Amino acid sequence: MPRRSFVSSLLALGLTFAPALASAGEGAECAQGKLSLQSVVDKHLQAMGGKARLKAAKTYQFTVVATEGSTVTTTNVRRARPNLMRHDTDKNGTSFTKMFDGNQGWTVEGSAAPQRLDKEKNTALAEGAHFDDALLDPKAQGVSLAMDGADDVNGTPTFKLVLTRGTTTQVRFIDQKSFLEVRRTYAGVHEGKAYNKAITFSDFRSVDGIMVSHRVKWEGDGQQGEKVIQGARYDAPIEASVFKLSPPRS
């Protein structure tokens, strides 16, 4: 089983706060230059493929190769509406599965019996399992958003969107030209400990009409790593049985 923390593993796969989270709120008119908060959000969604295409997607699956120091892992990710998710990881010949079945999160290592996630980890996985970006249904995901001016990310002018859910704060940096997200930072508390993380996105490509970052770098907890996405597809059929595991035997 990979030894990085549960939060780090979620962040490395870009799952915390859902796939491409932001939430404008009703009547948001915080102007930054000539653009309001709502305008930035709308342009970002359009750059990602448009609201209609994002809402029409039913499934998403991809393979990601992650590098952390000298360790390389390969994970097959399958997701389906409304909140089904499964990761099957191979690390040095050892298999590890993490799954959310719509209500409960599970882990399975090798041939061992499935194990339920505890309440805190289950809540984090459930939040990340939302198929839709919260921009498409902000109230349902309970996230508030504010615009915090502009910033420069490696020479790229960006808009700063600050997202808050409970005690967790996320900042998204949206390229002022392409309106794609180029960086994301997180701050929160997990298992009683404060954490700060950062993710940088690059190599965007259209996958079945939706823009996907194919190269992601992350850093936090004194560690850093990179993931490269391969073989991404939207709307390919996924059997319902993929998201079901038998509970551990008592």
Side-chain angles (χ1 to χ4, degrees):
M1 173 178 174
R3 297 301 179 186
R4 74 161 70 106
S5 72
F6 183 80
V7 168
S8 293
S9 65
L10 289 179
L11 295 175
L13 288 170
L15 296 175
T16 301
F17 262 26
L21 181 64
S23 142
E26 297 180 359
E29 293 297 337
C30 295
Q32 169 60 37
K34 297 181 179 180
L35 293 180
S36 69
L37 170 60
Q38 187 64 58
S39 294
V40 172
V41 170
D42 289 344
K43 286 178 178 292
H44 171 61
L45 283 179
Q46 186 60 39
M48 291 295 294
K51 292 181 180 179
R53 178 64 186 105
L54 293 169
K55 289 181 178 180
K58 299 294 191 297
T59 67
Y60 178 43
Q61 49 192 314
F62 61 91
T63 299
V64 57
V65 178
T67 303
E68 183 181 337
S70 60
T71 302
V72 178
T73 60
T74 300
T75 301
N76 293 314
V77 178
R78 285 171 283 188
R79 303 170 63 92
R81 288 187 179 278
N83 60 346
L84 302 173
M85 180 175 67
R86 176 169 177 155
H87 299 171
D88 292 298
T89 299
D90 178 82
K91 178 182 177 183
N92 298 329
T94 299
S95 63
F96 179 72
T97 295
K98 182 182 296 180
M99 194 190 78
F100 190 76
D101 64 11
N103 294 293
Q104 176 63 47
W106 301 86
T107 60
V108 183
E109 184 172 359
S111 59
Q115 299 295 312
R116 291 176 179 268
L117 292 180
D118 63 29
K119 183 177 180 180
E120 183 177 8
K121 290 180 179 179
N122 193 64
T123 297
L125 196 62
E127 291 173 355
H130 286 293
F131 189 85
D132 275 336
D133 187 297
L135 274 172
L136 299 173
D137 194 357
K139 289 185 178 180
Q141 296 196 30
V143 177
S144 62
L145 175 78
M147 183 126 76
D148 187 23
D151 205 344
D152 181 277
V153 176
N154 297 325
T156 299
T158 66
F159 295 109
K160 289 178 63 178
L161 303 181
V162 181
L163 298 83
T164 305
R165 174 191 279 149
T167 60
T168 302
T169 299
Q170 179 191 118
V171 181
R172 288 190 168 210
F173 297 82
I174 308 299
D175 187 326
Q176 292 186 15
K177 184 176 181 180
S178 70
F179 286 92
L180 296 173
E181 183 182 2
V182 294
R183 184 172 172 83
R184 188 183 302 184
T185 63
Y186 302 85
V189 178
H190 177 68
E191 295 183 342
K193 296 181 180 179
Y195 67 85
N196 290 277
K197 311 284 182 180
I199 297 177
T200 302
F201 303 95
S202 62
D203 191 13
F204 280 90
R205 307 177 202 173
S206 179
V207 175
D208 300 314
I210 297 175
M211 295 300 289
V212 175
S213 169
H214 280 62
R215 187 175 296 273
V216 177
K217 293 184 178 181
W218 63 272
E219 55 186 304
D221 291 338
Q223 300 175 316
Q224 59 183 4
E226 181 180 63
K227 69 171 185 176
V228 177
I229 289 179
Q230 302 175 343
R233 291 190 63 189
Y234 277 94
D235 296 326
I238 301 177
E239 293 290 336
S241 60
V242 164
F243 304 106
K244 296 180 181 179
L245 290 175
S246 299
R249 295 177 181 176
S250 58

